[in-house]
Amino acid sequence: MSTDLRKKGFRKKVSDIYKSDLGYYAVRPVYKVYEFILKMIPSDVLVKNSFKKHMGYSLDLKNPKTLNEKINWLKVYNRKDIHTIIADKYKVREYIKEKIGEEYLIPLLFHTKNPEDIRPENLPDVDHIIKCNHDSSGGVVVKDKSTIDWKKTRKRFKRLLKQNHYYATREWQYKNIEPRIVVEKLLTTEDGNLPDDYKIHCFNGKVQFFGVDVDRHLPTRGRNLYDTNWNLLPCNWGRPNGRDLPRPKNLEEMIALAEKLAKDFIYLRVDFYSVKGKTYFGELTLHQSSGFRKFWQQECDEKFGQKLNIEHLINSRLTKS
């Protein structure tokens, strides 16, 4: 077994222990001490250490070259109030409404700051997903309310609402989000599965490539990278390729919408779903995998890094210092 697989197995065991009641209350005090220590560490120091651990080489914040290095430079030094709004899965809805139109939003069915409100009588009878607005923990899919352990679900969200994603990753946009639980209609394909997730990577306001998580509901989940003409790229970013996907009929629409949303950002990942011929907005991401996801081919990280222009920001920062 590879070292990476052993590490993943160990992390899963720790995660499973932490999710249990006994594990949570035993580990929580230790985690709070750990979080306190994290707060004392300067962002550039913490990010450099995390980068070396995940990527295997040192992060050069003075002269970043690869895409992952530049994402981390932006994470440490490029912070604006608008970043907090677009990272908030609740507040971003108003932003999307203003920028491209309400018709692209997944219907919002319920929202609350109180996990005790997450009860079957408060939620709709249509298929839906329950998630937080301030993190990347995924969500609880509800297709049949009678199959859900609601007490356990409320406990899960009570814990999630206490977490702050910023301190471990230094993704500043998460620091000041007011935690909330949101319930959205569950999008499904004609066969009842979750739709493909089109992650559109925009550099300096222009679409550079698509990342598509293929068959997200299956153990054989893959990730394909496509250029704007829907040619499969010889690059793997964290996952093997899945089955090749047909060119989406709304490709041009997704590109136009993504560039409309990305025009004010240096790097932005814009996510869309295509369901039964209609385009739905997913989320906006400022730092793909926090800048810690390896390309299997180093040349891809370097090639995409050359296309992302942040030199003017670096020079401006050097001039001010």
Side-chain angles (χ1 to χ4, degrees):
M1 183 184 293
S2 70
T3 302
D4 285 346
L5 287 176
R6 284 196 296 270
K7 287 181 179 178
K8 287 181 181 178
F10 176 74
R11 285 196 295 267
K12 185 178 186 307
K13 288 180 181 178
V14 172
S15 175
D16 290 342
I17 293 172
Y18 185 66
K19 288 176 183 177
S20 69
D21 286 347
L22 180 61
Y24 178 82
Y25 290 110
V27 174
R28 185 67 179 169
V30 177
Y31 179 79
K32 295 302 291 183
V33 173
Y34 170 68
E35 189 176 68
F36 176 79
I37 295 171
L38 283 180
K39 293 178 183 180
M40 301 298 105
I41 303 174
S43 290
D44 58 342
V45 174
L46 188 145
V47 168
K48 283 182 178 180
N49 287 338
S50 296
F51 188 90
K52 181 68 178 289
K53 181 177 70 173
H54 286 90
M55 304 298 290
Y57 66 95
S58 297
L59 170 62
D60 186 352
L61 286 175
K62 293 183 179 179
N63 188 27
K65 295 295 186 184
T66 67
L67 177 57
N68 278 301
E69 282 186 302
K70 290 185 176 182
I71 287 175
N72 275 280
W73 190 97
L74 292 169
K75 184 169 68 175
V76 174
Y77 298 122
N78 186 236
R79 298 175 173 183
K80 299 179 180 179
D81 290 343
I82 189 63
H83 294 173
T84 298
I85 293 173
I86 68 168
D88 184 327
K89 294 180 178 64
Y90 175 71
K91 289 188 176 180
V92 73
R93 297 178 61 86
E94 189 62 30
Y95 183 83
I96 294 301
K97 180 180 176 180
E98 293 175 2
K99 292 291 183 180
I100 61 174
E102 190 174 13
E103 64 270 25
Y104 295 103
L105 291 172
I106 299 171
L108 178 67
L109 305 175
F110 186 74
H111 64 91
T112 181
K113 298 176 187 176
N114 184 359
E116 291 302 317
D117 291 339
I118 302 302
R119 299 176 180 275
E121 59 268 27
N122 290 338
L123 302 176
D125 292 326
V126 299
D127 295 352
H128 54 272
I129 182 169
I130 310 170
K131 57 187 179 181
C132 284
N133 68 323
H134 69 302
D135 67 1
S136 303
S137 61
V140 175
V141 171
V142 181
K143 293 187 175 183
D144 181 351
K145 291 185 193 178
S146 66
T147 65
I148 302 297
D149 184 334
W150 292 103
K151 183 178 180 181
K152 183 177 179 181
T153 299
R154 286 190 292 273
K155 187 178 295 183
R156 168 182 173 169
F157 282 99
K158 182 178 180 180
R159 294 173 181 177
L160 286 173
L161 290 179
K162 294 178 181 178
Q163 296 179 6
N164 192 312
H165 191 57
Y166 163 72
Y167 295 109
T169 67
R170 294 306 159 92
E171 294 186 71
W172 178 84
Q173 64 271 23
Y174 294 109
K175 185 179 182 181
N176 299 311
I177 294 177
E178 184 178 18
R180 182 187 300 263
I181 301 167
V182 295
V183 181
E184 293 179 342
K185 180 180 178 181
L186 183 70
L187 299 180
T188 55
T189 60
E190 287 84 352
D191 55 7
N193 290 319
L194 298 178
D196 292 327
D197 187 1
Y198 297 91
K199 301 178 185 295
I200 308 175
H201 297 261
C202 303
F203 299 0
N204 310 107
K206 295 295 181 181
V207 173
Q208 292 296 324
F209 65 93
F210 283 68
V212 190
D213 280 4
V214 183
D215 297 326
R216 293 185 296 147
H217 57 290
L218 297 176
T220 53
R221 174 180 178 179
R223 179 174 297 151
N224 298 350
L225 301 189
Y226 293 94
D227 66 17
T228 54
N229 292 314
W230 210 248
N231 298 306
L232 185 65
L233 296 173
C235 298
N236 299 95
W237 202 359
R239 288 184 181 275
N241 285 345
R243 59 186 173 83
D244 196 15
L245 298 174
R247 177 191 177 104
K249 294 179 180 179
N250 55 344
L251 178 67
E252 285 75 18
E253 179 187 35
M254 287 194 288
I255 290 174
L257 291 172
E259 293 188 345
K260 204 168 185 179
L261 291 169
K263 70 183 183 66
D264 296 323
F265 299 90
I266 304 301
Y267 168 85
L268 189 69
R269 197 192 81 201
V270 182
D271 293 5
F272 286 116
Y273 300 102
S274 179
V275 180
K276 301 170 186 175
K278 181 171 171 51
T279 302
Y280 290 95
F281 166 76
E283 64 180 278
L284 299 177
T285 299
L286 288 159
H287 311 112
Q288 166 76 21
S289 300
S290 201
F292 298 146
R293 182 73 68 196
K294 277 186 179 181
F295 280 92
W296 292 10
Q297 305 85 3
Q298 179 64 17
E299 61 269 21
C300 293
D301 205 357
E302 294 168 356
K303 180 181 72 174
F304 289 131
Q306 291 171 3
K307 293 183 177 183
L308 178 60
N309 179 16
I310 67 170
E311 281 65 30
H312 59 297
L313 295 179
I314 296 173
N315 292 334
S316 175
R317 176 175 171 76
L318 290 174
T319 300
K320 290 178 181 178
S321 60

